Amino acid sequence: IQEEAQYQTPCSDFSELRSNVTAALLWNPEQDLDSLVNDFIDGYYGKAAKTVRAYYDLVQKLVTRDIHMSIFPSAWHPIFTDEFMQNGFSLMKQAREEAENESVLHRVERVGLGLLYLKTMRDKDIALKDGTFDELCRIVRRDKGRISETMTLEQFENKIRNAN
């Protein structure tokens, strides 16, 4: 069995959840996925768990059987609606406020990386002005991550800042 995810970076949205659930299913593939997800989220995100689960559900609803996603989804894919973005940012703001300590806040911030990236890619000018881009870079830098397999954070920063 080959399990592959975002191997090039230690931080991405729900990376810990994916690793935990994958390992549990490798141990016993008959387990209930929803129960595994709930167990992990409840134990990992503390008082923010209910809101993080709501965001997880929002993300899961994006893809249906008739939606095709490639290995490199575009920030402009039709599933990433303005409504999704608005609801996602609202839930992430609430989850950050609910985090009871720095460790949980750190975990919650990582969950929102996808939204920060989407907003940066979709509207660089606003992301540069409203702090979205800086927040994305702060979290990725803190967690020693990469933007993609082929692009370091420094390359991404140069690309975004020099595009304007």
Side-chain angles (χ1 to χ4, degrees):
I1 294 173
Q2 178 184 345
E3 182 265 323
E4 186 175 330
Q6 291 183 273
Y7 64 89
Q8 79 282 357
T9 185
C11 67
S12 65
D13 51 343
F14 290 117
S15 60
E16 298 94 342
L17 171 66
R18 284 191 303 273
S19 294
N20 184 273
V21 169
T22 299
L25 289 172
L26 286 170
W27 188 261
N28 176 1
E30 302 302 319
Q31 295 180 80
D32 179 67
L33 178 63
D34 206 44
S35 294
L36 292 171
V37 169
N38 284 335
D39 183 56
F40 182 83
I41 288 176
D42 289 345
Y44 198 65
Y45 295 104
K47 294 177 181 177
K50 184 177 179 182
T51 305
V52 169
R53 177 61 199 225
Y55 176 69
Y56 173 85
D57 291 338
L58 180 70
V59 171
Q60 293 303 305
K61 289 178 189 172
L62 292 177
V63 180
T64 62
R65 290 190 180 274
D66 54 333
I67 298 290
H68 175 73
M69 294 297 286
S70 72
I71 191 170
F72 301 110
S74 166
W76 296 273
H77 194 286
I79 65 172
F80 302 127
T81 64
D82 290 341
E83 180 182 9
F84 163 75
M85 299 286 289
Q86 182 179 17
N87 291 338
F89 273 106
S90 177
L91 287 168
M92 285 294 86
K93 180 179 186 288
Q94 182 179 340
R96 283 191 309 275
E97 292 168 357
E98 293 168 344
E100 66 265 32
N101 58 49
E102 286 299 312
S103 294
V104 173
L105 178 61
H106 184 119
R107 296 169 191 164
V108 167
E109 286 179 337
R110 285 170 67 153
V111 171
L113 282 171
L115 283 172
L116 297 172
Y117 177 81
L118 283 172
K119 185 173 179 184
T120 297
M121 295 308 294
R122 289 165 64 116
D123 198 332
K124 294 174 185 79
D125 292 334
I126 290 177
L128 285 165
K129 289 177 186 171
D130 72 5
T132 299
F133 176 72
D134 290 334
E135 181 72 359
L136 172 63
C137 293
R138 179 187 69 79
I139 296 167
V140 173
R141 185 172 290 107
R142 175 193 70 198
D143 294 348
K144 298 173 179 56
R146 290 178 67 95
I147 291 298
S148 72
E149 184 175 9
T150 60
M151 187 179 298
T152 66
L153 176 60
E154 291 75 22
Q155 291 167 328
F156 180 70
E157 286 179 296
N158 288 335
K159 176 183 173 183
I160 296 300
R161 291 192 195 285
N162 294 329
N164 294 313

